Amino acid sequence: MIEFTPAYARMSSEQLRERASALRELMRACRLCPRNCGVDRLSGELGACGVGADPIVSSYGPHLGEEAPLVGRRGSGTIFLTHCNLKCIFCQNYDISHLGRGRPMTLDEVARMMLELQESGCHNINWVTPTHQVPMLIEATRIALEQGLRLPIVYNCGGYESLDVLRLLDGIVDIYMPDAKYGDNSAGEQLSGVADYWDRCREALAEMHRQVGDLQTDADGIAARGLLVRHLVLPEEMAKTAAVMGFLASLSLDTYVNVMAQYRPQHRARQATFAREVSAIARPITTAEFHRAVQDAVEAGLHRLDQRRASL
Ligand code: SF4
């Protein structure tokens, strides 16, 4: 029996419809993310993310590989959205985020997916890479709410977010799970194709924390509300981990952080031409580099660390 009442279920259907509509308006000269492409997605134009006005989904299902507070006993209900607003050269989901593997869905189909994930016992609905499709997701949530959806929403994003969009998600999203990929702008420009990653990421994380606070779990350790941050450690400190941890500590020393060790060169990071330009990215991290990153977090004063060492 589900006792938890997610934030969006405390809103009326009309309020959710208004939020979805306001978000959809941002697609008319698209500024759903800080790229601010300005294309009219409602008329079929495409910007850098490559998605128009309809949702495109790659896959969905219970996921047991996410962070423990999301997975619990029955899994996190992931929905992998196709394409991405970032173009990370080492993306491990390249076929989905860059090549666009997936198929267009109706809003009713997306709502049905969420309800299926709930019926299968998942603890939450985990939107993976939602930024460029969020108006459609909110409208699908409204439809699913009317049919009984009661799981918290996890907004699982790359950390390159628009403040205007996040403000429209206030009171809808219970759990934010952004990446904090790099602690300076130049790494974002070199590795993800945007010049202001760290500036926008800091603003976004501060707004997310303002809305939902530190991660809270229920009596079984399952995430109910709050902020979880992921940071993928890169070779030769390319991710500027110390700066990231310092910022997260400034938000709150109770910030929950997953320091991830699983970096492997993928996609362009494996290509010889690119590897010559950014040679450090062409190898996995070392054990010493991972330990240094964890130490950066500890020295910053953070103590809720989810450390993924297994793959080293
Ligand atoms: S969501 Fe897509 S089209 Fe809109 S600003 Fe971002 S990258 Fe451009």
Side-chain angles (χ1 to χ4, degrees):
M1 181 174 143
I2 298 162
E3 297 169 0
F4 175 79
T5 303
Y8 62 84
R10 293 191 284 269
M11 300 178 81
S12 68
S13 187
E14 191 51 39
Q15 286 173 314
L16 278 175
R17 193 192 300 271
E18 285 171 8
R19 295 287 188 95
S21 174
L23 287 163
R24 194 171 167 81
E25 276 306 302
L26 297 178
M27 295 166 68
R28 206 171 285 287
C30 193
R31 51 188 183 94
L32 273 187
C33 86
R35 283 187 184 269
N36 292 324
C37 293
V39 295
D40 185 354
R41 289 173 57 183
L42 301 182
S43 299
E45 292 178 2
L46 301 180
C49 62
V51 174
D54 296 321
I56 310 179
V57 174
S58 172
S59 64
Y60 71 105
H63 198 309
L64 300 176
E66 301 283 76
E67 284 72 0
L70 298 182
V71 168
R73 295 180 309 283
R74 299 185 301 272
S76 177
T78 47
I79 298 178
F80 285 85
L81 285 314
T82 297
H83 287 297
C84 183
N85 65 327
L86 291 171
K87 300 295 173 199
C88 304
I89 60 121
F90 51 84
C91 182
Q92 312 219 339
N93 292 320
Y94 175 70
D95 55 336
I96 300 171
S97 60
H98 290 237
L99 297 182
R101 179 164 66 78
R103 76 170 178 86
M105 303 263 176
T106 65
L107 297 174
D108 285 333
E109 284 178 305
V110 177
R112 189 63 239 158
M113 272 179 209
M114 292 195 258
L115 292 164
E116 269 184 48
L117 291 167
Q118 176 169 282
E119 287 157 14
S120 71
C122 292
H123 298 285
N124 45 67
I125 301 297
N126 184 345
W127 295 337
V128 183
T129 320
T131 307
H132 57 303
Q133 302 204 37
V134 71
M136 298 81 101
L137 292 170
I138 298 303
E139 183 60 12
T141 299
R142 184 191 66 75
I143 295 167
L145 172 65
E146 291 182 349
Q147 296 174 34
L149 185 71
R150 291 295 182 274
L151 294 182
I153 298 290
V154 181
Y155 190 91
N156 176 352
C157 68
Y160 190 61
E161 309 299 310
S162 153
L163 273 184
D164 289 342
V165 169
L166 290 176
R167 287 171 184 144
L168 287 167
L169 299 180
D170 193 0
I172 298 176
V173 171
D174 283 288
I175 300 165
Y176 284 105
M177 187 163 67
D179 294 331
K181 291 177 184 289
Y182 323 107
D184 74 10
N185 285 333
S186 64
E189 184 162 27
Q190 189 172 40
L191 301 176
S192 292
V194 292
D196 56 351
Y197 179 86
W198 186 224
D199 292 341
R200 301 290 80 77
C201 183
R202 280 179 294 174
E203 289 174 357
L205 267 59
E207 172 62 16
M208 292 173 185
H209 188 261
R210 184 195 70 75
Q211 290 183 21
V212 298
D214 295 322
L215 183 69
Q216 301 170 40
T217 56
D218 66 13
D220 295 323
I222 308 296
R225 181 177 172 83
L227 178 69
L228 293 84
V229 181
R230 285 175 164 174
H231 176 73
L232 180 65
V233 182
L234 294 178
E236 296 185 22
E237 300 186 14
M238 294 188 74
K240 308 297 181 207
T241 299
V244 169
M245 298 305 159
F247 173 72
L248 297 179
S250 77
L251 286 181
S252 165
L253 295 180
D254 294 329
T255 303
Y256 185 104
V257 188
N258 182 1
V259 183
M260 299 188 297
Q262 65 262 42
Y263 175 73
R264 295 285 181 280
Q266 299 281 349
H267 178 37
R268 283 185 65 203
R270 297 174 64 170
Q271 294 172 3
T273 48
F274 193 83
R276 273 199 295 275
E277 295 167 32
V278 191
S279 58
I281 207 75
R283 65 164 174 82
I285 63 167
T286 64
T287 302
E289 285 171 330
F290 179 65
H291 288 160
R292 177 67 251 169
V294 172
Q295 195 59 29
D296 286 339
V298 171
E299 288 174 6
L302 297 163
H303 63 99
R304 298 178 78 187
L305 302 181
D306 180 340
Q307 303 164 38
R308 300 287 171 99
R309 303 167 189 257
S311 57
L312 277 177

